[in-house]
Amino acid sequence: MITTEDFDKVDLRAGTIIAAKVNKRARHPAYDLTVDCGEEIGVKHSSAQITQLYTPEELVGMQCIFCVNLSPMHIGDVKSEVRILGTESEQGVVLLRPSAPVKNGDKVF
């Protein structure tokens, strides 16, 4: 179990995917995402293994939830700076999305 203080350290924000393409050098099928995380965080990159249910064209313009304060890691040629959140479901990863449009960078509580 983690404490409430531990959970409060996780910075979850709304962001909009502004570009998506195949991450050709990833070990497992993945996309290279460019994400607008709002004024405070800025534009970030992420490599995401979400290829089962989504095409790059579908992802552009999609608003999702991202963790923005993890240490960056290199996946193939991509410096993954934020992590997109989703459920690990029978059909593949289903992305977590706001139920209504929100401002990029809005905090998730």
Side-chain angles (χ1 to χ4, degrees), residues 65-100:
I65 304 301
F66 297 84
C67 180
V68 299
N69 67 334
L70 292 173
S71 297
M73 57 194 274
H74 283 85
I75 301 172
D77 290 333
V78 178
K79 180 181 178 184
S80 193
E81 303 168 293
V82 297
R83 182 171 292 173
I84 196 167
L85 299 182
T87 63
E88 195 171 341
S89 301
E90 289 179 6
Q91 65 270 40
V93 175
V94 176
L95 297 176
L96 300 184
R97 302 173 59 193
S99 60

Side-chain angles (χ1 to χ4, degrees), residues 2-11 69:
I2 65 170
T3 66
T4 303
E5 291 80 20
D6 290 333
F7 182 77
D8 288 343
K9 293 176 187 175
V10 179
D11 192 357
N69 67 334

Side-chain angles (χ1 to χ4, degrees), residues 11-14 40 103 105-109:
D11 192 357
L12 302 176
R13 306 281 183 122
E40 183 182 346
K103 186 177 174 184
D106 278 0
K107 289 186 176 189
V108 176
F109 293 96

Side-chain angles (χ1 to χ4, degrees), residues 13-52:
R13 306 281 183 122
T16 299
I17 299 167
I18 56 176
K21 62 184 179 183
V22 173
N23 181 353
K24 294 178 182 176
R25 300 221 29 223
R27 288 185 187 159
H28 304 286
Y31 294 133
D32 173 0
L33 307 177
T34 305
V35 183
D36 180 353
C37 294
E39 281 186 36
E40 183 182 346
I41 306 296
V43 174
K44 300 292 182 181
H45 285 270
S46 182
S47 181
Q49 294 178 9
I50 55 174
T51 60
Q52 287 182 295

